[in-house]
Each structure stands twice: as structure tokens, then as C-alpha cells.
Amino acid sequence: MTRAFNRRLVFSTMGALLLIEAFFMALATGVGFYYGEADQSAFLVSTVITLLGGLLGLTLGRHAPKQVGEREGYVIVALVWVVFSVFGLLPYYLSGQILSLTDAWFETMSGFTTTGATVIRDVESLTRTALFWRALTQWLGGLGIIVLCVALLPMFGLGGMQLYAAEVTGVNYEKLSPRIADTAKLLWGVYIALTLAETFVLWLCDMGGFDALCHSMTTIATGGFSTKNTSLMLYGPAVQYVVGIFTFLSGLNFALIVHFLRGKPLRLLKDEESRWYARAVGIMGVVMTVGLAVFYGMQDKIWTGTAGEVLTHIEHSFRIGFFTTINSITSTGFAAADYMQWTPLLWVMVFLMFFTGGSSGSTAGGIKWVRILIFVKSGFAEFQRRIHPNAIIPIKLNGRPLPHEIINNVMAFMVFYVLIILATVLVFCGCGVDFDESIGAAVSAIGNVGIGIGQYGPSGTYADFPAFGKWWMTLVMLTGRLEIFTVLLLFTKALWRK
């Protein structure tokens, strides 16, 4: 017999989550009051509306059973991103800084999903209040709204195991403590510490305090929103090195970082996925460095330049090459140069890196290296089975055989990932977008990368993207952020009959 869907629990949980969003929106409002900006009243009104929405949700959900089932978990996890974006767009829209409702929705969903695609042509024209809220949406979405809320839901008498399992939908997830709320707190502790550490280091590199905080929030979230029109092209080598290092760290599994800080470094250093991720960054970084050195005329520098000029050229190619590699693989989307101005071979390589992503359990988007690892191992195992049909060839991760359920999960994920990209390309082409730019936008959306190719590359925006395409793109952003299955399961009869 099918258990009745617990609507009251959904209302009460969403109400609690909206109160949390109202708190962070109030922080942005405080920035407006501090700087005395004109849009502080719009942010204050938005905060009050969000607060009332939260109180209404708690009222409608009074006396609801506290246990979260699978159906309620998947609904809450998918719905929270939509509801957060609905209320989160209010400051942009009410202040008049984004005049179109479609654009306000796009910018907000792009923020919360850490995609980083923007419709704002002149970011520097925004107030500090709006810039802070823009960065804050990415920071909240980076480690996951639900992971934050699981840490805080016990305050409202609600449990979070089903929510955590529905949010962290990768190949596996790890409990760092017997209580799931304590696990969430540990992860957010590391998340906050990395954000503060990068803010301090960027401040030492002569980046202003406000810009340092905003860039740190969007770095650790692997989101890529910048307070500058030219992203990080404006800043010098020190800032680019710092952001590159912290972006790389954000692409690691945060649970393994916790183990590292607890004095168990081998958990991170011996992790197979982490090694694949680090090797990919190293190999592609070297390839990009060599490619850029050649592209920028290394041969001429060797024959006609001084030793200092040659070293400067190598350093520039190394810095831009590795920065672009790290930001592409982790789906962060910061830019230290416009790769669309490079030779096609190099920007096509950048585009291919959009597919990969960081480690599972990181803030990065994309496919994730653990899936790529399993997919590749499965391919080689199939070759071996062709040669030795009767052999039992297990697929191992970190020395342990993987259950067939996990392997099947990875294969299904890959299939759906490609199908969603193909469907999205058709939609974008139907809206009048060029084929190559449609492919770039589709891969960018589902991988939560933000930047694409062509006019949607590092120097462009999605301001002129067709309206229907923007709405479709936000749906794909959400699907990619929740790693496909959470969204697709909501449309299956099996879940609702369970």
C-alpha cells in the first residue's frame, strides 16, 4: 500500500529553509546599509517577503510527522533550488538592477547552481549589495543548500538523512560522524575556513577586502561570478595563482580534506579519484602551457628575446595554461584570458575539459572523475572479457571491487548526460542559436560551467540568448547540479507508487 505523501512536512521544511535564506539575504541588506546604497530598501523588502514566506511554510506544516521519506526527500531537494531562486531573484528585480523577470530568474538560478553564466553586460555597474548577494548565492549553492540546511534543521526539530542522501547523489557519500548533522557541520566548517583563508591571502595580494571576499566565495563554490567585467584578467599574477590554487582545492572531495586535517593525509593522497583528478590537471596544464607558449610566439622569443623575456613568456604561458585548465576542469569559469582568441585547437581542448568536473564530494560540476574512472575501467574490463570470456574481472575502486549497482548507475548517468546535452542542443538550435554555440551552452549548463564558446565565451554574456532558451537552460542547470537522477526520479511513477 502506498503511503500518503507528507505535504505538511514539505511545507514545514521549506519554511525552515526560507528562514535560512532570509537570514543570508539580511546579510546582503546589511552590506547595503553599510555602504549607504540606494537598493538597500529593495533588499530589505525582499528579506521581509522571504521571512514571511518561511513563516507561512512553518504554519502550513504544523504538526507534520518529522520523518522524511524518499519521496519527500527528493521533492524537497529539487524544490528548494526553485523556491530559493524565486525568492532570491526579488532583490535584483525589485531594485531594478535586472529589469526582466526572465533575466532575474536566470541570474539567480545560475548563482545557486554555481553555473556562473550571466546576463549582466556591465557587472561593475551593480551596487556592492547586489554584487555581494550575487556571490552569496553561489557560496550557498556551492557545497549544497541542503548540506547547509541539514546542519541547521535540527534547530527546527527536523531530520536530514534522507535529504542528505538525495542531495549527495554521486557514486557514494561518506558520513564523517554518526550523526548526519555533525557530518554536514564538519563539511561546512572546512568550507568556511577555506573561504576565509582565501579572502585573507587575496587581501594580502592587494585585492580590496570586498572584492577578495566576493571572489573567495565564488572560488570555493567553483562558481566563477566576478565583481569585474573582465573576470580575473584585470588582476596580476599573484591573484591568479592564489585563485588557481584554491580552485584546485575546491575540486577535491571535502570529506577527504576533513580526514587530511584530522591527521589522516593518506585517505586523500591514496584516493584513486583524487589522483586521477590531480593527474588530469597536471597533464592538461602542461599541454596548455606548451600550446600557449607556441601560440604566443615562443620560437621568436628564443631567437630574438633576452633570457628575461623568455622566462617571462614561459611564466605567462604556465600561469594562464594552468589557471584555464583548473577553472575548466572544476567548472569554475573564472578567466585569466579569453581562450576564444586562441588557436582553435586550444579552445576546443578547453571545451572538452568542461565535461570532466572535479572529485565527487567537491563543489565542482561536470561528470566527476570517479565516474570517468569507473567508465574507463569498465571499458578496459570489457576488452579483457572479449579475450577471456570465462574470466571474472572485477572493477575496483581504491582496491575494493565495486558492486554492479554502482557500475550500472555510472553507465545510466553517462547515457542520460549525453541525451540531455543532445536534447538541449536541439532546443537551442530551434531557438535560433548557432550549432557550435548551442553545443557549448548545453555542455556549460549541465556541467554548471557557465562560460561556453563563441559569443558566450569568457568575454561574452547570455544577455541576448533567446528567452525560451534561458528558461530551458536554467532547468538544465538544476538537473546538472542535482546530478540528473534527483530531478528525473520526480517524473517516474515508481517513486510515487513506492
Side-chain angles (χ1 to χ4, degrees):
M1 182 177 178
T2 303
R3 179 178 60 82
F5 181 69
N6 193 348
R7 292 182 179 85
R8 286 184 176 273
L9 179 65
V10 175
F11 280 125
S12 62
T13 306
M14 294 308 304
L17 299 181
L18 280 176
L19 292 183
I20 296 171
E21 182 180 19
F23 168 77
F24 285 101
M25 199 177 289
L27 293 181
T29 304
V31 171
F33 278 101
Y34 178 80
Y35 287 106
E37 294 178 322
D39 60 345
Q40 59 184 262
S41 57
F43 271 81
L44 180 59
V45 171
S46 302
T47 302
V48 172
I49 293 173
T50 306
L51 178 63
L52 293 176
L55 294 175
L56 177 62
L58 289 176
T59 301
L60 294 175
R62 284 183 302 176
H63 310 304
K66 301 302 182 182
Q67 187 174 358
V68 182
E70 284 191 350
R71 283 176 296 178
E72 291 83 4
Y74 284 119
V75 168
I76 291 170
V77 166
L79 190 60
V80 66
W81 299 87
V82 176
V83 173
F84 261 51
S85 296
V86 168
F87 284 87
L89 66 80
L90 292 176
Y92 296 132
Y93 192 67
L94 295 180
S95 66
Q97 297 194 67
I98 299 181
L99 299 176
S100 164
L101 188 63
T102 295
D103 286 350
W105 166 261
F106 184 96
E107 194 75 16
T108 309
M109 181 62 81
S110 178
F112 280 122
T113 59
T114 71
T115 303
T118 184
V119 293
I120 301 173
R121 300 179 191 276
D122 184 8
V123 170
E124 295 175 36
S125 67
L126 298 178
T127 62
R128 287 186 178 91
T129 316
L131 288 173
F132 183 76
W133 175 242
R134 192 167 173 261
L136 195 56
T137 58
Q138 288 203 326
W139 192 72
L140 288 173
L143 196 57
I145 296 171
I146 292 297
V147 178
L148 168 64
C149 298
V150 164
L152 301 178
L153 282 178
M155 297 168 51
F156 301 94
L158 298 167
M161 185 60 208
Q162 290 292 346
L163 297 182
Y164 186 79
E167 164 79 353
V168 187
T169 54
V171 171
N172 53 32
Y173 58 87
E174 183 173 359
K175 291 177 65 175
L176 298 168
S177 174
R179 297 179 66 248
I180 198 65
D182 292 337
T183 295
K185 289 174 184 176
L186 284 170
L187 293 175
W188 266 91
V190 172
Y191 192 65
I192 293 170
L194 286 173
T195 304
L196 294 177
E198 185 185 359
T199 301
F200 178 70
V201 177
L202 287 177
W203 177 73
L204 291 179
C205 294
D206 292 329
M207 182 183 279
F210 177 81
D211 289 336
L213 177 58
C214 289
H215 281 98
S216 296
M217 288 194 290
T218 57
T219 297
I220 305 304
T222 61
F225 274 162
S226 175
T227 58
K228 306 299 180 184
N229 291 329
T230 55
S231 190
L232 294 182
M233 302 179 203
L234 178 69
Y235 295 100
V239 167
Q240 293 173 1
Y241 276 121
V242 169
V243 172
I245 291 170
F246 277 93
T247 303
F248 174 81
L249 292 176
S250 301
L252 293 169
N253 187 323
F254 271 69
L256 295 178
I257 294 177
V258 172
H259 284 301
F260 186 91
L261 297 175
R262 282 178 164 179
K264 300 177 181 178
L266 294 181
R267 291 290 297 273
L268 173 62
L269 299 177
K270 289 188 175 182
D271 178 66
E272 201 168 356
E273 180 189 24
S274 299
R275 295 203 304 268
W276 274 54
Y277 164 62
R279 287 169 185 162
V281 169
I283 293 170
M284 292 306 300
V286 170
V287 171
M288 294 298 293
T289 297
V290 173
L292 287 174
V294 174
F295 175 71
Y296 284 118
M298 184 67 186
Q299 304 92 324
D300 296 335
K301 293 288 191 302
I302 291 175
W303 295 110
T304 63
T306 64
E309 290 175 334
V310 171
L311 289 176
T312 299
H313 182 77
I314 294 174
E315 184 279 328
H316 178 266
S317 299
F318 172 83
R319 172 166 40 87
I320 301 301
F322 268 88
F323 185 92
T324 304
T325 296
I326 293 170
N327 275 267
S328 300
I329 287 179
T330 61
S331 76
T332 303
F334 279 130
D338 185 355
Y339 54 75
M340 292 308 303
Q341 303 301 316
W342 302 345
T343 180
L345 175 62
L346 292 181
W347 64 252
V348 168
M349 291 174 64
V350 171
F351 168 71
L352 292 177
M353 285 189 280
F354 289 170
F355 285 87
T356 58
S359 302
S360 59
S362 71
T363 60
I367 292 173
K368 301 292 195 306
W369 279 99
V370 68
R371 291 194 181 95
I372 297 173
L373 188 158
I374 294 172
F375 186 78
V376 171
K377 285 190 173 186
S378 297
F380 280 108
E382 188 59 33
F383 275 115
Q384 290 180 296
R385 292 189 190 101
R386 295 288 178 178
I387 300 172
H388 308 287
N390 298 322
I392 298 175
I393 305 170
I395 297 171
K396 297 181 179 181
L397 179 65
N398 291 325
R400 298 178 180 178
L402 288 172
H404 288 294
E405 292 80 5
I406 289 180
I407 299 170
N408 292 338
N409 177 289
V410 170
M411 297 305 169
F413 179 91
M414 293 292 195
V415 170
F416 283 121
Y417 203 88
V418 172
L419 289 177
I420 292 173
I421 290 174
L422 293 176
T424 302
V425 170
L426 290 175
V427 171
F428 291 166
C429 287
C431 293
V433 181
D434 290 344
F435 178 67
D436 55 344
E437 293 175 340
S438 293
I439 296 176
V443 174
S444 175
I446 195 169
N448 302 131
V449 181
I451 51 177
I453 58 178
Q455 64 175 312
Y456 308 115
S459 297
T461 72
Y462 287 85
D464 295 327
F465 207 72
F468 181 79
K470 290 176 182 175
W471 285 95
W472 183 272
M473 193 170 179
T474 57
L475 175 61
V476 178
M477 290 177 192
L478 176 59
T479 304
R481 177 59 184 82
L482 293 178
E483 303 202 343
I484 298 177
F485 291 116
T486 297
V487 175
L488 295 185
L489 278 171
L490 295 178
F491 300 97
T492 62
K493 293 180 180 180
L495 180 68
W496 298 100
R497 288 175 177 173
K498 187 170 182 180

